[in-house]
Amino acid sequence: MLLAFPYMHPELWSGDDLEGLTFFDPGLTDEPDPHAFRPEELPLDPKTAQALINDSVRFGEQFKDPGEMAYFGAVTADDFYEGSSMSIQAQLSRQFDDGQGTKQAREAREARSKAQFVLLLAWFFEERILELAGLEGGIRDGWEAMDQSIGVDEEDSLGERETVLGDTLSHTGGTSDGQEVRLPWQRVVESLPAFLPADTELVCADPEIFEVWEEFGLVFEDGEDGLSRATAPAWKFGCRRRAPEGMPAALKDLTVAILK
């Protein structure tokens, strides 16, 4: 299976069309996306997942700067839990504290729930990216429509300055007024192996991520199909210097293909 990375929404894919490419569905909605891959037996059902997301949003509202991505698990998942007044960590742990199975089995289920939680947060964050892009697109259309309605031609139009002014007045923020929040892809790549079939390859078309991996020392070999591949433990693709504790998914080997 070829799985797009880092984004889980096709609208955010920046590469060329690739036959067989699919997108990950972390299970936030009641019905699976028919064009995406949703693993079977996810530890968090949609109702629980949505409740955790709602708590996370309330927790995240305390940050004045949207760039403080500890809110979305940008450093480690535990960085998010430790500051949460809603005890999200306890919510994730409590549902597996049922005495069923061995201690090792319960810890494994809890670790998978934490991995799914990171992916749910990233998926939700992508939804906000798309929502913001829609708002900004609406603003651009609105200014253009106003130009047409009052008879302003291209020579008289302020062009991009109108768009920036519109974004500022409507407080959308986002890329049009110089603000950008990056998806915490390092945590996504460490969480995905908990749910992927053995034959899965992640496909990445983001040159900024390529540069980070190359600087980190990961070596990609060119294939006959035009893709360059590397196989390593997921934590190395997450750009850690050593293997993390308590994150079994990050210890699994992962194959990543670069689409240039």
Side-chain angles (χ1 to χ4, degrees):
M1 180 174 67
L2 299 179
L3 190 71
F5 177 82
Y7 295 107
M8 291 175 268
H9 288 73
E11 300 93 325
L12 297 174
W13 172 250
S14 59
D16 297 332
D17 291 339
L18 189 63
E19 184 178 357
L21 186 68
T22 190
F23 294 80
F24 190 80
D25 177 352
L28 186 59
T29 58
D30 289 332
E31 295 297 327
D33 185 330
H35 305 295
F37 167 69
R38 177 182 290 192
E40 297 181 358
E41 299 181 357
L42 286 169
L44 303 174
D45 61 77
K47 182 178 179 180
T48 303
Q50 188 62 63
L52 288 167
I53 289 293
N54 292 340
D55 282 350
S56 303
V57 170
R58 286 192 290 271
F59 170 52
E61 288 173 350
Q62 69 183 279
F63 296 107
K64 296 179 181 180
D65 180 1
E68 295 183 28
M69 288 300 293
Y71 166 23
F72 285 105
V75 182
T76 67
D78 287 338
D79 291 330
F80 181 91
Y81 306 137
E82 289 172 0
S84 174
S85 59
M86 273 70 68
S87 300
I88 295 171
Q89 164 81 347
Q91 291 185 53
L92 287 169
S93 302
R94 189 166 49 244
Q95 59 189 316
F96 302 115
D97 190 20
D98 54 9
Q100 300 296 316
T102 65
K103 179 182 178 182
Q104 184 177 10
R106 293 196 301 272
E107 289 176 347
R109 285 184 290 167
E110 182 181 345
R112 291 184 82 239
S113 75
K114 290 180 179 179
Q116 184 187 356
F117 180 55
V118 170
L119 298 172
L120 288 164
L121 286 169
W123 192 93
F124 179 80
F125 181 51
E126 290 181 24
E127 290 277 295
R128 302 289 74 77
I129 292 175
L130 293 170
E131 181 180 313
L132 179 59
L135 289 172
E136 293 181 342
I139 288 168
R140 292 176 184 273
D141 293 343
W143 281 98
E144 290 176 2
M146 185 187 71
D147 281 356
Q148 294 174 6
S149 66
I150 64 177
V152 177
D153 59 29
E154 291 185 4
E155 293 183 359
D156 294 328
S157 175
L158 295 176
E160 187 65 21
R161 289 171 60 193
E162 288 179 355
T163 301
V164 173
L165 176 61
D167 293 340
T168 302
L169 292 175
S170 61
H171 306 292
T172 63
T175 56
S176 59
D177 66 350
Q179 299 181 33
E180 183 178 4
V181 180
R182 296 280 296 176
L183 182 78
W185 56 266
Q186 294 93 334
R187 303 296 75 83
V188 172
V189 78
E190 291 179 337
S191 300
L192 280 171
F195 307 103
L196 301 182
D199 62 346
T200 301
E201 290 186 354
L202 299 190
V203 183
C204 181
D206 188 330
E208 292 187 14
I209 297 179
F210 305 162
E211 292 177 5
V212 173
W213 282 333
E214 288 175 354
E215 290 177 2
F216 189 73
L218 288 166
V219 178
F220 289 80
E221 297 182 358
D222 295 336
E224 296 181 357
D225 57 359
L227 298 175
S228 300
R229 291 177 174 81
T231 299
W235 59 268
K236 290 191 175 182
F237 288 107
C239 301
R240 294 182 188 269
R241 294 299 175 185
R242 60 180 181 273
E245 296 181 3
M247 297 177 63
L251 305 181
K252 295 183 178 181
D253 281 350
L254 190 62
T255 297
V256 176
I258 289 179
L259 176 63
K260 297 183 179 179

